[in-house]
Amino acid sequence: MKNVHEMPFGAAPLVGGGVRFRLWAPGAAEIRLRLDDSAPLAMSPAESGWHELDVPQARAGTRYRFGLPDGSFVPDPASRANPDGVDGPSVVVDAGAYAWQDGAWCGRPWSEAVVYELHVGTFTADGTFAAAVERLPELAALGVTAIELMPVAQFSGRRGWGYDGVLAFAPHAAYGAPDDLRRLVDAAHAHGLMVLLDVVYNHFGPDGNHLHAYCPEFFNEARRTPWGAAINFDGEHSAAVRAFFVHNALYWAEEFHVDGLRMDAVHAIHDDSPQHLCEEIAIALRACGAGARPPRPVHLLLENERNAAWLLERDGHGRPVAADAQWNDDLHHAAHVLATGETDGYYADYAQAPLTRLGRALAEGFVYQGEHSALRGAPHGEPSAHLPAPSFVSFLQNHDHVGNRALGERLGQLVDVRGSRRLEALRAAILLAPGVPMLFMGEEWNASTPFLYFCDFRGELADAVREGRRKEFARFAAFADEKSRLAIPDPNARATFGACILRQDERRLPAHAAALRATGELLALRRRHLVPRLARGTLGGTFSDDGSLLQVHWVLGDGTLWHLALNLGDRAAPLPL
């Protein structure tokens, strides 16, 4: 695997010394370059809207900004490091200087994946890449085979989920320097763990995105999203925009050796091109991994509310044509209704016969495969029963479905004693089914800490986010009056972020320790009995239920019949096989 990804954007150290700086700004007549605090230098206009300049005296560590025609200076949108925040200068990085220790790493097949989603800032008390390294041995011993980092691209402020990133190539400075992220990946590989990275290619955050000021061609004003104008993936000038994100995907794989990406909210990517951006990135990542020495798989996961099965299709050899897998929200929603009895909001579509819906999700992937969705008022989804089970990532909790609650409660805080038993059974079912299981950090020991929505905005934007979040929950009975809404934590408050930091000491308390042991035992069973049989593939399953007993059956790649029986009732049930 190459340690430096060559791309037409940004600052690239030259072999003979010096640095080449390039910026795409087709609407700007003139762009200037300021190095450190020196006088600005005029950049040379090149073809197709590019501006470039070779500077012999520049080197790794040089700080730089681009000067716009209006006299303002902005960071590089392809900055590899922005230590002073989203409005500060960018820093030249020599990506080839890091001495990798994972030369023998050849990745892991997707059939072995047990994913652990974590937020770097709240995973440890220090909230850094370096601190996360210390927790890796415990995850590997538990049976986790892949950590999935919530987005780490530079966003405004120090605290945030990461989905409001604006500098897509710069690791968030509050978590550490770029080499600290490399050390985390290096250490993960030493423990046999894949590293998956969550990336956001559907929008930029509301604070610190300067592209509108000098590169309006990056956006398509005719198409709107919840965040404003859509990113221009298929209109005039879109070739450079698409290249920006394809290069970003390859950048993480080559310069940081990540083993895969999870693309956030691809349903919000407007792209009518003959080849969808997801397909283009999947092909590029697969070629990248095949060209590595030694070769290794580089996986692609999707979040897609549309239940688009065509992005998960396999070829005649059972290999993904585009994405390896998709997060299965349908399964989560059905399981959540069964565990908690909640049927508000998007859970309403799963209120009727939730056990049957869970069975369909386990056996066939999507619950909605073209059926009418009352919530959407239209047919939803595409047929998915023909897809292998590992095409879907199964989970009971993730950052969204915990953090988008007003008080950020985890499932353990939402269920009574009976629900707690159901929750244990549901977790066992997911960890022992052929689909790829995912745990949200702390779930393995039933952590008590909430995961709230938090950010670090200032001024009017902070006020708007705070009030917007409270208004969002006004339609719920529990927050119908103003006093109850004022109790919703302020996303901008440091205390809101602090409440979410995992208490690692909880793992030693009796109830939490028992939950941790149970998780480890289930993953050991999976590793011993199921994973070896998944290597040759898995066919779709079949299911049946009688209202309390659910049975699901799969044919595994080696011909083994895998049976799962789940009793969520209050009485014992006969089990005919």
Side-chain angles (χ1 to χ4, degrees):
M1 181 64 70
K2 294 188 292 185
N3 296 333
V4 179
H5 175 65
E6 297 177 2
M7 58 188 181
F9 309 91
L14 300 172
V15 174
V19 176
R20 173 168 295 162
F21 298 88
R22 300 193 88 225
L23 179 70
W24 186 63
E30 180 185 32
I31 295 292
R32 295 176 297 159
L33 173 69
R34 170 175 281 171
L35 302 181
D36 296 321
D37 294 322
S38 62
L41 304 171
M43 299 185 73
S44 302
E47 293 182 357
S48 304
W50 289 96
H51 302 258
E52 62 181 38
L53 185 66
D54 291 358
V55 184
Q57 68 270 28
R59 62 190 185 283
T62 296
R63 297 187 172 225
Y64 67 100
R65 297 188 194 193
F66 294 118
L68 307 183
D70 65 2
S72 62
F73 286 85
V74 298
D76 183 356
S79 168
R80 282 173 162 87
N82 246 68
D84 298 331
V86 295
D87 298 315
S90 302
V91 175
V92 177
V93 172
D94 180 4
Y98 179 79
W100 284 93
Q101 304 300 307
D102 66 348
W105 175 252
C106 54
R108 299 188 75 140
W110 187 239
S111 59
E112 296 180 359
V114 174
V115 182
Y116 187 91
E117 187 194 18
L118 67 90
H119 176 269
V120 174
T122 55
F123 181 52
T124 65
D126 289 343
T128 62
F129 297 128
V133 170
E134 303 303 316
R135 305 255 73 94
L136 297 180
E138 298 154 5
L139 295 180
L142 179 68
V144 169
T145 63
I147 58 172
E148 180 177 320
L149 308 180
M150 288 173 64
V152 302
Q154 185 83 42
F155 53 84
S156 178
R158 294 183 61 82
R159 307 179 300 277
W161 280 15
Y163 295 94
D164 283 331
V166 293
L167 297 176
F169 294 80
H172 188 55
Y175 300 157
D179 278 357
D180 292 320
L181 176 55
R182 291 184 176 92
R183 291 186 188 96
L184 172 58
V185 177
D186 228 349
H189 290 168
H191 290 289
L193 297 169
M194 294 185 284
V195 178
L196 310 174
L197 179 62
D198 203 336
V199 293
V200 183
Y201 294 161
N202 54 72
H203 77 289
F204 292 95
D207 187 31
N209 173 26
H210 300 281
L211 282 165
H212 288 283
Y214 64 89
C215 194
E217 295 83 0
F218 218 93
F219 304 92
N220 185 342
E221 292 290 342
R223 288 178 168 172
R224 309 303 294 178
T225 74
W227 308 281
I231 295 174
N232 177 21
F233 287 118
D234 58 4
E236 187 179 3
H237 301 293
S238 62
V241 178
R242 294 175 71 91
F244 182 89
F245 292 100
V246 174
H247 277 290
N248 184 261
L250 293 171
Y251 162 81
W252 294 116
E254 292 186 352
E255 293 198 5
F256 291 87
H257 292 197
V258 303
D259 300 280
L261 302 177
R262 180 260 191 189
M263 288 180 63
D264 174 68
V266 301
H267 52 270
I269 293 174
H270 294 270
D271 184 10
D272 292 331
S273 305
Q275 183 181 63
H276 191 277
L277 182 70
C278 291
E279 296 175 283
E280 186 174 355
I281 286 175
I283 292 169
L285 289 176
R286 201 162 292 124
C288 170
R293 294 293 176 267
R296 64 181 178 91
V298 182
H299 306 292
L300 182 65
L301 286 65
L302 305 178
E303 179 199 19
N304 190 349
E305 285 186 358
R306 294 200 177 104
N307 284 7
W310 66 273
L311 284 169
L312 304 173
E313 293 293 345
R314 268 48 181 172
D315 64 16
H317 300 283
R319 297 171 301 203
V321 176
D324 293 80
Q326 175 177 318
W327 278 21
N328 195 349
D329 276 347
D330 277 10
L331 186 150
H332 167 271
H333 298 347
H336 187 94
V337 171
L338 287 165
T340 68
E342 292 183 346
T343 56
D344 285 342
Y346 47 68
Y347 296 124
D349 267 351
Y350 305 83
Q352 299 298 317
L355 190 64
T356 301
R357 296 179 188 277
L358 177 66
R360 191 179 201 195
L362 286 167
E364 301 181 5
F366 298 137
V367 170
Y368 283 88
Q369 301 181 32
E371 292 81 3
H372 181 82
S373 160
L375 180 69
R376 295 171 174 83
H380 178 55
E382 298 173 1
S384 61
H386 62 290
L387 295 170
S391 306
F392 301 93
V393 178
S394 306
F395 49 87
L396 297 178
Q397 303 183 69
N398 65 20
H399 74 273
D400 264 333
H401 300 305
V402 177
N404 285 333
R405 301 182 67 87
L407 303 179
E409 308 101 322
R410 293 170 179 264
L411 269 178
Q413 281 70 59
L414 297 176
V415 298
D416 55 18
V417 173
R418 181 170 177 266
S420 180
R421 291 197 297 269
R422 282 190 166 198
L423 186 56
E424 291 175 9
L426 288 165
R427 182 172 294 119
I430 284 176
L431 294 183
L432 296 178
V436 171
M438 184 176 78
L439 298 167
F440 181 54
M441 61 177 195
E443 182 180 353
E444 68 272 29
W445 75 77
N446 282 338
S448 66
T449 46
F451 190 75
L452 295 150
Y453 175 68
F454 52 82
C455 53
D456 189 16
F457 296 132
R458 297 288 185 268
E460 293 182 0
L461 180 57
D463 295 338
V465 170
R466 182 189 309 110
E467 294 310 312
R469 182 144 178 92
R470 288 170 178 168
K471 287 179 181 178
E472 177 185 349
F473 291 99
R475 59 191 173 89
F476 294 94
F479 301 99
D481 64 278
E482 185 177 0
K483 184 177 179 180
S484 63
R485 291 195 296 276
L486 290 175
I488 297 175
D490 177 3
N492 297 282
R494 184 179 294 274
T496 302
F497 167 80
C500 303
I501 297 173
L502 280 182
R503 292 175 48 203
Q504 299 285 346
D505 58 314
E506 275 190 336
R507 294 175 302 157
R508 293 187 288 273
L509 299 177
H512 295 291
L516 184 61
R517 282 195 302 274
T519 302
E521 289 166 0
L522 289 167
L523 289 178
L525 289 172
R526 179 184 185 87
R527 181 173 60 252
R528 186 179 312 124
H529 297 291
L530 178 57
V531 170
R533 294 180 166 89
L534 293 176
R536 296 183 184 178
T538 307
L539 302 179
T542 59
F543 70 99
S544 62
D545 78 274
D546 61 6
S548 61
L549 178 66
L550 171 67
Q551 295 191 74
V552 191
H553 316 283
W554 296 268
V555 179
L556 305 184
D558 65 351
T560 300
L561 300 180
W562 189 259
H563 306 279
L564 185 150
L566 177 65
N567 181 3
L568 296 181
D570 295 323
R571 299 178 181 177
L575 184 61
L577 285 177

